Amino acid sequence: MLMYATLFASGLICMALALNAWRLIIGPTAPDRIVAVDTMYINSIALIILLGIYQGSVSYYESALLIALLGFVSTAAFCKYLLRGDIIE
């Protein structure tokens, strides 16, 4: 039963990634695009965690943690660039 649930959840997350990519392409403003990228990396983390559950391996969790850290830093850098026009002062 867990196998079918993870496959179903993976399909839904892939659909959410496709919708986020659509928002990234047609987003009228830069903040819309930043939010789309932010939700895309969160969905990719969920997809990696589901893959780890499906295969029964713990090595995927470290990569999900690394993506989470990089996503946080990149979102903070994008927002700082939009507010001030410069990342490093």
Side-chain angles (χ1 to χ4, degrees):
M1 184 69 177
L2 183 63
M3 181 181 73
Y4 297 119
T6 55
L7 288 176
F8 180 72
S10 297
L12 291 178
I13 291 174
C14 286
M15 187 173 65
L17 276 169
L19 292 173
N20 287 330
W22 177 253
R23 174 50 65 187
L24 181 65
I25 293 169
I26 66 162
T29 62
D32 288 333
R33 290 188 171 101
I34 290 173
V35 169
V37 169
D38 192 37
T39 56
M40 283 180 81
Y41 85 79
I42 290 172
N43 286 334
S44 67
I45 291 169
L47 199 59
I48 289 172
I49 294 293
L50 282 173
L51 183 65
I53 292 171
Y54 181 74
Q55 291 186 353
S57 175
V58 296
S59 63
Y60 293 103
Y61 304 132
E62 293 175 3
S63 63
L65 182 63
L66 181 66
I67 290 173
L69 290 172
L70 289 174
F72 172 74
V73 170
S74 67
T75 302
F78 280 145
C79 292
K80 189 173 180 182
Y81 177 74
L82 282 178
L83 287 176
R84 298 183 185 165
D86 190 18
I87 297 174
I88 300 172
E89 296 175 352

